[in-house]
Amino acid sequence: MTPRVSVVVPAYNNAEYLAETIDSILAQTFTDFELVIADHSSTDGTLAVAQKFDDPRIRLLTTPAGGGAQANWNRVTEEATGELIKLVCGDDTIAPTALDTQVRAFDDNPSAVLVAAQRTLIDAYGKTVIAARGLGGLHGTVSGRVAARTAVRAGANIFGEPGGVMMKLSELREIGLWDNSHPYLIDQATFIAVALRGDIVAIPQPLASFRINSGQWSVELATQQARQAADFHRSLQASDPTLLSNNDVRIGNAKALMTSFMRRAVYLLLRHRMSRSS
């Protein structure tokens, strides 16, 4: 029998945090799931950490070096067998009731193709930076088109990092798995492509924790993120002119630029805080 849910973990140089990630998944109150972990040729002992776990629900894979995040994200997704899928990055965690809450949302909303919850932002030490973030004001069952337009106008990934999202695996496969056309938006672009195939359910409750990456502090990165967001907004409008107006795109592009530099400011403050704590 296949499991109801596939939780997939694409790990890369996550040795410091991977055990915490796996523990959070194995501690779920909902138990009808498989856990597929793929190590992307890590150099820090990530594979050894994963090998320490002895649980029949775990399958451990390796992914050859190269191909960026998309290669490993697609690798674990291709191996998934459940009806529903949740991708959890190798340094993030999910709340004990995450699977149970999101599966029930699918059961209660047959038209849903994606369920998104808020997430908690934490620093390298696991301390909370922002307790509940995401969804852009959405609540309950929402048309995927409305959700997509809301995300563009927010200039941000309102769906959140993958750990806070669950999707129908069949819909993800229909769009060709993870969309890497704009690498900094691989999760958001994929979520929107899936959302446009039905409704989403927004749960204003943090069900995952996202660890802020200490490498995301450069001006160059902030500029690239904003540029890719603008390109994505324009490509989405071109693919369906009825989805976004020119004004939607203008607003989204401006907010994406502002958000990228606000994010950098937060990262700089965190770096200062963490350097004082070390």
Side-chain angles (χ1 to χ4, degrees):
M1 294 180 63
T2 57
R4 182 78 189 279
V5 178
S6 293
V7 182
V8 299
V9 177
Y12 175 67
N13 285 347
N14 298 130
E16 184 176 359
Y17 305 112
L18 183 60
E20 184 181 354
T21 298
I22 295 174
D23 282 337
S24 78
I25 296 167
L26 296 180
Q28 292 297 297
T29 57
F30 181 91
T31 58
D32 186 15
F33 69 89
E34 64 176 350
L35 172 54
V36 185
I37 305 169
D39 175 55
H40 200 173
S41 301
S42 299
T43 58
D44 68 342
T46 291
L47 182 60
V49 172
Q51 289 172 332
K52 292 179 180 179
F53 286 83
D54 182 18
D55 190 295
R57 293 171 293 184
I58 296 177
R59 277 188 287 142
L60 185 57
L61 314 170
T62 56
T63 302
Q70 185 190 37
N72 210 25
W73 290 28
N74 280 349
R75 170 81 163 122
V76 285
T77 301
E78 288 164 352
E79 292 291 328
T81 64
E83 172 196 349
L84 305 170
I85 186 168
K86 173 185 285 292
L87 185 147
V88 183
C89 294
D91 56 354
D92 297 336
T93 61
I94 56 176
T97 59
L99 298 188
D100 185 50
T101 302
Q102 292 185 304
V103 168
R104 281 191 286 109
F106 274 107
D107 289 341
D108 294 341
N109 299 274
S111 63
V113 293
L114 180 151
V115 174
Q118 290 182 318
R119 73 278 196 196
T120 299
L121 272 58
I122 60 176
D123 66 15
Y125 305 111
K127 295 180 180 178
T128 298
V129 178
I130 300 176
R133 179 175 174 81
L135 302 184
L138 299 181
H139 182 286
T141 305
V142 180
S143 160
R145 291 178 65 84
V146 171
R149 192 177 304 114
T150 301
V152 169
R153 288 179 65 91
N157 181 9
I158 64 169
F159 305 96
E161 288 69 34
V165 174
M166 184 180 285
M167 294 179 284
K168 285 187 175 178
L169 180 56
S170 60
E171 301 293 351
L172 181 56
R173 285 182 169 147
E174 282 292 323
I175 66 164
L177 303 185
W178 296 93
D179 183 353
N180 202 44
S181 302
H182 305 86
Y184 289 123
L185 282 75
I186 182 173
D187 47 3
Q188 180 183 357
T190 301
F191 297 154
I192 286 178
V194 169
L196 289 173
R197 300 177 64 83
D199 293 333
I200 76 156
V201 179
I203 302 174
Q205 170 189 353
L207 294 177
S209 293
F210 169 67
R211 199 178 304 272
I212 294 176
N213 187 337
S214 61
Q216 298 175 336
W217 289 328
S218 71
V219 172
E220 180 182 0
L221 178 58
T223 303
Q224 290 176 353
Q225 289 173 331
R227 183 179 302 119
Q228 287 195 15
D231 289 343
F232 171 64
H233 297 161
R234 286 189 287 267
S235 67
L236 190 60
Q237 183 189 39
S239 67
D240 182 358
T242 68
L243 178 63
L244 301 171
S245 68
N246 290 335
N247 196 45
D248 291 332
V249 173
R250 281 194 294 268
I251 291 171
N253 291 353
K255 287 189 176 179
L257 182 61
M258 178 178 64
T259 299
S260 65
F261 280 92
M262 287 177 62
R263 184 184 302 118
R264 177 176 179 268
V266 171
Y267 293 155
L268 287 171
L269 287 172
L270 283 176
R271 180 170 65 177
H272 178 67
R273 187 175 83 177
M274 287 186 288
S275 65
R276 292 180 62 184
S277 300
S278 60

